[in-house]
């Protein structure tokens, strides 16, 4: 089936450290990979995305890398801050449809 | 404010009942997507509408149905409710048919008692 696997499910880091969340996908024809951040009581918010013709994209402290051969992509957050604490979801758009398939989420806790 | 409006924010109802969740997409967006979020299943895609027509179907139960109206707002109808239907229901919208640049609403929390 069309799956997105996300690891780890929980991640705790100290303020100032880096955090890395990894996802793998099953459909080699997938072409769009966004990351969402969900804070308590809110809907998921798009924080960065990457398309299959690009290997890396960066936006200030956030970066996403894509390895099409291995079918995995990762979110990197540097210099983490307590306000980065949230649940992060990766997603992929599969060839067979128009919608996004989401991973099960990573709960990130940044401790001061 | 994301620009995607969902009502109501909270809904408590009994098993066997029927409810309607409403979503107004961001101005200019033609696609609406419905997702169910539960603790153990994450974000599950239910259904997509584009400019009034159904475009894609995910893991939507037969007891659930949706539609998109000419003014582009969408409604998700849930009937014969079961305890297991308790979840957060999110609506998202995007400009085109493809799933680029989804914007989510703040969700409707449904509790079935």
């Amino acid at each position: 089936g069309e799956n997105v696997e996300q690891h780890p499910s929980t991640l705790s880091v100290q303020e100032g450290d880096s955090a890395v969340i990894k996802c793998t996908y099953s459909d080699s024809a997938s072409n769009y990979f966004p990351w969402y951040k969900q804070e308590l009581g809110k809907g998921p918010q798009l924080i960065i995305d990457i398309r299959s013709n690009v290997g890396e994209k960066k936006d200030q402290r956030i970066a996403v890398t894509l390895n099409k051969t291995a079918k995995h992509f990762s979110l990197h957050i540097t210099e983490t801050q307590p306000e980065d604490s949230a649940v992060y979801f990766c997603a992929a758009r599969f060839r067979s449809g128009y919608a996004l398939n989401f991973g099960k989420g990573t709960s990130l806790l940044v401790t001061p | 404010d994301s620009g995607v409006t969902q009502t109501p924010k909270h809904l408590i109802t009994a098993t066997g009942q029927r409810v309607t969740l409403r979503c107004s997409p961001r101005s200019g967006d033609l696609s609406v997507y419905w997702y169910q979020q539960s603790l153990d299943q994450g974000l599950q895609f239910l259904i997509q509408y584009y400019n009034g027509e159904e475009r894609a179907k995910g893991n939507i139960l037969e007891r659930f149905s949706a539609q998109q109206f000419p003014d582009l707002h969408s409604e998700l109808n849930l009937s014969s409710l079961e305890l297991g239907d308790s979840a957060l229901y999110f609506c998202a919208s995007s400009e085109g048919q493809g799933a680029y640049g989804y914007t989510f609403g703040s969700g409707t929390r449904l509790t079935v008692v």
Side-chain angles (χ1 to χ4, degrees):
Chain A
E2 297 171 335
N3 294 318
V4 179
E5 300 288 336
Q6 183 172 347
H7 299 280
S9 57
T10 61
L11 180 59
S12 182
V13 301
Q14 285 207 307
E15 183 177 0
D17 288 349
S18 294
V20 180
I21 303 171
K22 298 181 179 181
C23 288
T24 58
Y25 57 97
S26 57
D27 183 1
S28 58
S30 297
N31 59 4
Y32 176 63
F33 308 91
W35 286 87
Y36 284 81
K37 175 183 180 183
Q38 187 177 22
E39 296 174 323
L40 202 60
K42 297 184 178 180
Q45 180 185 9
L46 178 67
I47 56 172
I48 195 167
D49 57 10
I50 192 168
R51 302 203 184 194
S52 57
N53 57 347
V54 175
E56 184 174 358
K57 184 176 178 181
K58 193 172 180 181
D59 182 5
Q60 299 183 349
R61 296 186 297 108
I62 294 174
V64 57
T65 58
L66 171 65
N67 183 326
K68 286 179 59 180
T69 303
K71 291 189 286 184
H72 70 70
F73 57 112
S74 301
L75 177 72
H76 304 254
I77 306 175
T78 58
E79 300 171 20
T80 54
Q81 301 166 5
E83 50 266 39
D84 293 330
S85 297
V87 179
Y88 291 81
F89 292 94
C90 64
R93 182 185 179 210
F94 291 127
R95 156 180 50 186
S96 64
Y98 296 99
L100 292 172
N101 288 52
F102 284 82
K104 292 200 173 183
T106 296
S107 180
L108 173 65
L109 178 65
V110 181
T111 54
Chain B
D1 181 9
S2 68
V4 179
T5 304
Q6 289 189 249
T7 56
K9 291 193 183 304
H10 303 277
L11 200 48
I12 302 175
T13 190
T15 54
Q17 294 299 303
R18 172 189 168 96
V19 297
T20 297
L21 313 184
R22 182 188 170 105
C23 169
S24 293
R26 228 174 30 156
S27 177
D29 287 355
L30 299 179
S31 274
V32 169
Y33 309 80
W34 285 97
Y35 281 80
Q36 179 191 60
Q37 185 177 41
S38 55
L39 279 174
D40 57 342
Q41 291 297 321
L43 280 160
Q44 294 287 308
F45 170 62
L46 296 178
I47 197 164
Q48 177 204 1
Y49 279 82
Y50 174 76
N51 204 21
E53 293 188 8
E54 182 184 304
R55 266 293 177 265
K57 241 177 178 176
N59 300 319
I60 189 166
L61 300 172
E62 285 191 10
R63 300 183 286 108
F64 296 0
S65 65
Q67 55 184 323
Q68 186 179 29
F69 294 87
D71 67 352
L72 300 176
H73 91 272
S74 177
E75 293 181 357
L76 179 67
N77 301 296
L78 315 176
S79 61
S80 303
L81 284 167
E82 302 174 358
L83 295 178
D85 297 327
S86 297
L88 270 168
Y89 291 84
F90 284 104
C91 161
S93 72
S94 69
E95 184 177 346
Q97 294 187 63
Y100 300 112
Y102 264 23
T103 300
F104 279 89
S106 55
T108 292
R109 179 173 293 281
L110 173 66
T111 303
V112 183
V113 297

